[in-house]
Amino acid sequence: MAESSKNVSSYFACNVFNQTVMRERLPKDVFKAVMQTKKMGTSLGSNIANVVANAMKDWAVEKGATHYTHWFHPMTGVTAEKHDSFLTHNSDGTIILEFSGKELIKGEPDASSFPSGGLRATFEARGYTAWDPTSDAFIKDGTLYIPTAFCSYTGEILDKKTPLLRSMDVVSEQALRILRLFGNTTATRVLPTAGAEQEYFLVDKTLFDQREDLLITGRTLFGAKPPKGQELEDHYFGNIKERVSAYMHELDEELWKLGIPAKTKHNEVAPAQHELAPVFETANIAADHNQLTMELMKKIALKHDLVCLLHEKPFAGVNGSGKHNNWSLSSNDGQNLLDPGDTPTENTQFLTFLCAFIKAVHKYSDLLRLSAASAGNDHRLGANEAPPAIVSMFIGDELQAILDALENDTKAEVNSKTKFKIGVDALPSFNKDNTDRNRTSPMAFTGNKFEFRMLGSADSISCTNVMMNTMVADVLCEFADELEGAEDFNTALKELLVRTYKEHKAVIFNGNGYSDEWVKEATETRGLPNYISTVDCLPRYLDEKNVSMFEKFKVYSKVEIASRTEILLENYTKVINIEALTMLDMAKKQIYPAVMEYTKEVCNTLASIKAVGIENAAQEKLANKLSSSLGCLDSAVKELEQSLIDAKDTDNVYELSQFYRNEVFAKMQALRAIADELETIVSEKYWPFPVYSDLLFKV
Ligand code: ADP
Ligand code: MG
């Protein structure tokens, strides 16, 4: 029976080895031990792992699986997997299916072919993967997938999951210290939660295949603006075309089978652009699920003769795609720590977490910015598109009024009934409509969580969440150190909050983040950094304050940060290099011939017109224009080629990335401008690939 005719709850998570399956299949004590591990992040003994592995294998085999894989998140940005079958030889030569606790807990892929940014030279090439029991195993395409972390043998982390898990422990520990100060004795773990809204484009597969740039780089490197873009604003939330709807439907079903709580789907601002939002989950699970979502988005599109583009800027002049990382902290006794709550104590506790967050964002805005930095996302951040490259925070007028009143020891003009112990008015209850009006802020408070809007659509959410968790932990730790030793808690708390707000409110901005005035005010008056590009912000990773924070909490060592910075910068230059080569290929092999063909046709017409004595024909002007533009195209090609040759003189990754940004990328823009102009004058009969209106409007 097609899933579509079944009740969703009958197949939701049917391919996941989750709590329900474990309760059915594991002995009680083993089940309890696994649940304890999942809740507290503690490790699991080897005899327990054996029982779990065996049950997992039996379950997977019953569902038709033949292989298992340790599934991990190397620094490539995509996931990696190596499949092993369950087959083992018996001593009598027969075959049995086996899966041991050892195999569940640890795998040993060769680490040498994954980016390690210099770590490989210094340390061992061998790497291992370690099971992350907090994220459920699942079956996909006949294989049992085991979510894992990936490290080198000497312990250096080589992936995106390990630091995330570490940062989750760190923020839990510090948040608990604050909860204890407010008299909470029940919570034993605080988990960051994340909900990743995912934007994407769908284009027709046949058209996609005709564009080398889309095929190789995921974005159009050429393309004149179509007569119609998004100016009519008729796509956002518009009704969904049948073909797209069928795609979304199948995507939802496949996600649900993997236990991924896909919730919202709609058309986005740009033509052919859409969005999917899941229900939030614990940060590491949300990160795993977002990777799977992106993978399935691409895979299922092909079944519908569509291609899903996750690039941040597939089309120039049309909105790009981002990813919003909604984030909060949730305690295992059921509180959302960014929910203002109903009682004065809850309110004060909320204000404490809020002020910690404000300080963290102000102090570590460079880390947030660089967590969203990539060649693709440079086309959005700092390029007059949502959101700006300056990290600021939107908290809304009401909340700001409360903090101002706290600072000035006055009464806030908000409708509140109760008074805080520390002498400010209680917070009004927030509803989303009150707080989420600002769409231009990179970090917006939306009632009970913060929404970070800088991420690019293709990014993993791991890095951002590592930053959020660690920087918030850092400030909570300072708060706890100060408050734990205080003589009078309420006096000390008020003094701390007022001081924090005073020192860090420069990061709060409730106005229009897209305006030029804001850039001026932010950088000149408020001293907020404005890192326009990836190459400007990535080196900040190694700033003393950042290194000492990560080392203090043992999330990254300095060597690991240096290696990550290198990997990311290397990736940047490689991406631009591939794009430049693709442009050259298309210009020389496709655009030149097309322009020449058309010029020939125009010249032929011109000759026959001249033959009958007509002078000053439009054909003559056109032929001249075509010929001079082709000359310009040729010069631009030569300049781009030269810049790629010049790039070979540098091998320092920092200098090289600057060179790619300032020289190569600039030459690419120049080449594009000429080609795009040619597109508008060359007959479509000769133009060698589908144009923007085909791609954007023919789904
Ligand atoms: P909008 O488009 O207005 O930003 P959506 O409803 O599309 O709103 O997305 C909101 C996202 O925030 C969803 O993924 C939702 O699950 C997530 N979210 C809600 N509460 C929390 C929370 N406490 N922690 C993390 N994410 C949350
Ligand atoms: Mg959003």
Side-chain angles (χ1 to χ4, degrees), residues 197 324 326 439 451 453:
E197 298 163 57
H324 293 176
N326 294 273
R439 293 247 149 222
E451 177 171 355
R453 298 175 173 142

Side-chain angles (χ1 to χ4, degrees), residues 588-637:
K588 291 196 288 191
K589 294 190 190 145
Q590 299 187 311
I591 302 177
Y592 275 39
V595 177
M596 286 191 293
E597 276 295 303
Y598 184 50
T599 312
K600 193 167 101 190
E601 184 179 318
V602 175
C603 287
N604 285 343
T605 323
L606 181 61
S608 36
I609 290 178
K610 274 197 167 163
V612 297
I614 300 174
E615 290 299 322
N616 280 332
Q619 286 84 343
E620 186 158 353
K621 286 192 197 118
L622 183 55
N624 276 324
K625 172 79 186 152
L626 285 167
S627 167
S628 71
S629 295
L630 191 60
C632 296
L633 190 75
D634 193 52
S635 315
V637 160

Side-chain angles (χ1 to χ4, degrees), residues 239-250:
N239 67 7
I240 302 173
K241 287 183 188 157
E242 226 167 276
R243 188 172 174 200
V244 174
S245 169
Y247 162 77
M248 288 176 162
H249 198 78
E250 186 174 349

Side-chain angles (χ1 to χ4, degrees), residues 193 195 197 277-280 326 328 336 432 436 439 449 451:
T193 49
E197 298 163 57
V279 177
F280 69 95
N326 294 273
S328 189
N336 174 354
K432 223 176 137 98
D436 195 24
R439 293 247 149 222
K449 63 185 185 299
E451 177 171 355

Side-chain angles (χ1 to χ4, degrees), residues 44 158 273 345:
L44 209 58
L158 298 171
Q273 192 185 31
T345 315

Side-chain angles (χ1 to χ4, degrees), residues 291-356:
Q291 291 290 346
L292 280 171
T293 302
M294 291 194 285
E295 186 189 317
L296 286 179
M297 278 180 163
K298 289 188 166 179
K299 218 159 134 182
I300 291 167
L302 295 177
K303 289 170 97 183
H304 295 256
D305 285 320
L306 294 166
V307 176
C308 170
L309 305 177
L310 290 174
H311 193 284
E312 283 80 8
K313 192 73 176 178
F315 307 101
V318 173
N319 254 33
S321 296
K323 174 146 42 198
H324 293 176
N325 188 77
N326 294 273
W327 183 94
S328 189
L329 289 172
S330 138
S331 64
N332 65 347
D333 63 352
Q335 294 182 68
N336 174 354
L337 304 183
L338 289 180
D339 191 321
D342 300 325
T343 68
T345 315
E346 285 168 345
N347 276 193
T348 323
Q349 183 183 297
F350 162 75
L351 277 188
T352 309
F353 281 99
L354 178 69
C355 285

